[in-house]
Structures are given as structure tokens and as C-alpha cells.
Amino acid sequence: MKKVVAKKKFGQNFLKDETVLQKIIEAMPNNDNKIVEIGPGLGDLTKYLVDVKSVEAFEVDTDLCKLLQKKFDKEIATKQLHINCEDVLNAWQSSLIDESYDLVANLPYYIATKIILKALTDPKCKNILVMVQLEVAEKFCAEVGQKVFGSLSIITQSIGNARIIVKVPPTAFDPQPKINSAVFLIEKSSDRSDENFESMLRAAFKQPRKTLMKNLSTTYEKTILQEIFDSLELAQSIRPHQLSTYDYHQLYKKIK
Ligand code: SAM
């Protein structure tokens, strides 16, 4: 077979390290949900996924789609695998599929955050187990007080629990990316999503090194904020990464 040339524009870095592939399979939540895989690529992860669950895959690259259709002809015939040859963001109007699913994928990094945020607010999506750039994984999994604790960590903690499963060096891929990667898991316990809460978070972290008061007062009235801070016993000098998810929800209730 001709060697496939990876297309940069689709973020193609194929995962070759069998140990990492095994760790992803071992970390999969134990339930009856279907699997959604975004970007099956050459099918290196897909071949393990179809062994344990039925899989709905979305692949934008038509060359790879043809290759996958040949490689997995048996699984497609038995309906263990269905491949949608399209851009997942076009397919994703409200829900990606009509039943409960877990997202398991080595994501294309150029749209990874967008995909994860969509999956977090999709009520049909129950768990998210994905490989992304290490810095992105750390933002989703950060705890209050850490420098990278920000709106992504708070949105995630408002919906479930997140943890890093394994850090992955560039050598695990072909071609090798220039950055480090990590697999992380978000186990969702609710579907709460509120656009106004998210826009308050955007204001709160507008300039992460400035105080929370300074950031919020570019959007909300300062005298009202001062009253709210006093009632919640928050110091005016507090920085955005020092306030817990619980405190952000208390703040939001009052601002609302
Ligand atoms: N899962 C494979 C693996 O682990 O080796 C490939 C992962 S590679 C990082 C990302 C994959 O996502 C590629 O196959 C790429 O073509 C696909 N992709 C990129 N953008 C996409 C999009 N908008 N919709 C669906 N698939 C996409």
C-alpha cells in the first residue's frame, strides 16, 4: 500500500505508540454508551475501539475515508462502525448523534478546544476522553490557585470532573508534532451550560494578571461589584485564578 502523506491543514499526526493506545482504551468509562470518534485518521485507535463498542466516526479527509472504508469493511457491514465523511463542525448543529455517547479521540489540535466545548454542552455526550496539546489539557484540568486555572477549568468543573490520564511526547506520533500532548478524561455529571455565566468568565479572565475587580469592572458597574465583593467577603485585590468554581457561581448569582 502507498504511504499516506499527512495533511498539515487537517492536523494529521497519527498516533503510533501502542502503550498510549492501550492507556486510552483502559481509561474508557465502563458503560453502554456508543463511542463517537472524531478524526479516525488511519484507524489506529479505531481498531481498538470497534473491538469493545460500536463507533460513530467523523473524518473530514476524503482520502482517509476511502482508506478506512476498505480497512474496516467487516465492521461497517456489521454496523459496529459507521463513518461520516464530513467536517464534524458542520455535522454538529445541536447534537452529533441521537443517543448517549462518549467522545474518544486523538483530536485535530487546531479545533480541539472548540470540539471539547461543544461536547461539554451537548447533553447526549456523557464523557470526553481525548488527546490534545499538553497546555490545553492542563487548562481543562487545572485546580483553583494554579496559574493556568481559567474559564476552561471553571466551565469543566461546573459540569464534571477532569483529570490527565497520560502525558505523551512527540515521538509517539508520525509525523511528530513540535509540541507535547496529553490524554485527559472529563466525566460529566450534569449538562449545565449557561452562556451568560461563560461571558462573565470571559470578562473575569480578560487580563489574567490584573485583579478580578479590574477585569469585571470593564463589563459591570464598579459600585455594584464592590457591594457584591463585600457581601461575599472577597478581597478587592483577588486575582481571577484565585477564586474557586463555587465562588464564581456565587458571584454570578449576585451579578445576575
Ligand atoms: N485518530 C488518528 C490517530 O490517532 O492516529 C488521527 C488523529 S489526527 C491528530 C486528527 C484527525 O482528525 C485526522 O485524521 C484529520 O483528518 C481529522 N480531522 C481534522 N479536522 C477535522 C474535522 N473538522 N472534522 C473531522 N475530522 C477532522
Side-chain angles (χ1 to χ4, degrees):
M1 197 172 49
K2 229 171 55 187
K3 184 167 164 34
V4 174
V5 179
K7 297 188 181 95
K8 249 192 177 164
K9 68 170 175 176
F10 291 139
Q12 290 175 359
N13 297 98
F14 303 112
L15 178 59
K16 293 296 168 198
D17 189 317
E18 289 292 327
T19 319
V20 178
L21 285 161
Q22 282 306 330
K23 288 212 164 120
I24 297 175
I25 300 300
E26 281 161 20
M28 274 168 59
N30 190 2
N31 58 37
D32 292 332
N33 295 341
K34 196 163 192 156
I35 296 295
V36 163
E37 186 188 11
I38 296 173
L42 298 172
D44 291 295
L45 176 60
T46 321
K47 71 173 186 277
Y48 290 107
L49 296 177
V50 290
D51 260 358
V52 282
K53 296 254 179 113
S54 81
V55 178
E56 190 77 28
F58 293 83
E59 176 55 65
V60 72
D61 183 342
T62 45
D63 293 334
L64 290 182
C65 272
K66 283 183 208 145
L67 190 146
L68 289 163
Q69 273 153 351
K70 266 197 204 139
K71 191 167 184 172
F72 293 102
D73 57 343
K74 283 190 200 74
E75 290 79 2
I76 291 171
T78 58
K79 299 201 165 30
Q80 186 69 354
L81 172 66
H82 181 242
I83 302 172
N84 303 272
C85 294
E86 60 182 325
D87 183 329
V88 72
L89 295 178
N90 290 342
W92 214 334
Q93 296 312 330
S94 52
S95 195
L96 210 49
I97 58 171
D98 281 352
E99 55 189 294
S100 294
Y101 70 89
D102 293 344
L103 171 63
V104 182
N106 170 18
L107 289 175
Y109 293 178
Y110 73 106
I111 45 168
T113 301
K114 200 168 186 174
I115 288 174
I116 297 165
L117 287 173
K118 271 188 164 291
L120 276 172
T121 53
D122 182 349
K124 291 277 192 296
C125 178
K126 303 301 175 192
N127 301 288
I128 300 168
L129 176 63
V130 285
M131 171 105 71
V132 295
Q133 186 174 340
L134 176 62
E135 280 77 11
V136 174
E138 284 174 340
K139 280 185 189 166
F140 277 99
C141 299
E143 294 294 338
V144 61
Q146 291 181 332
K147 277 229 169 74
V148 289
F149 185 74
S151 48
L152 293 179
S153 339
I154 296 165
I155 291 168
T156 305
Q157 287 185 359
S158 304
I159 295 176
N161 287 313
R163 67 190 159 91
I164 293 194
I165 302 293
V166 61
K167 293 183 184 175
V168 184
T171 48
F173 303 88
D174 180 28
Q176 293 186 19
K178 290 199 175 67
I179 39 119
N180 287 309
S181 305
V183 177
F184 78 104
L185 171 67
I186 303 175
E187 293 173 296
K188 286 169 74 176
S189 47
S190 82
D191 296 315
R192 185 174 45 205
S193 115
D194 179 338
E195 277 176 24
N196 294 327
F197 179 62
E198 288 172 22
S199 70
M200 181 195 79
L201 291 179
R202 272 194 293 278
F205 286 91
K206 207 169 191 172
Q207 291 188 281
R209 305 278 162 263
K210 295 255 160 81
T211 64
L212 178 63
M213 174 62 84
K214 188 149 189 123
N215 281 339
L216 287 176
S217 57
T218 61
T219 306
Y220 308 99
E221 209 180 305
K222 193 161 181 185
T223 49
I224 297 178
L225 284 174
Q226 272 162 343
E227 275 173 33
I228 295 176
F229 270 50
D230 287 347
S231 71
L232 294 174
E233 296 180 7
L234 296 177
Q236 308 255 335
S237 58
I238 199 162
R239 311 263 155 186
H241 70 282
Q242 294 174 315
L243 207 64
S244 70
T245 298
Y246 174 81
D247 287 334
Y248 271 107
H249 281 284
Q250 296 301 104
L251 188 64
Y252 177 57
K253 271 190 206 150
K254 302 244 177 198
I255 286 180
K256 220 171 33 167

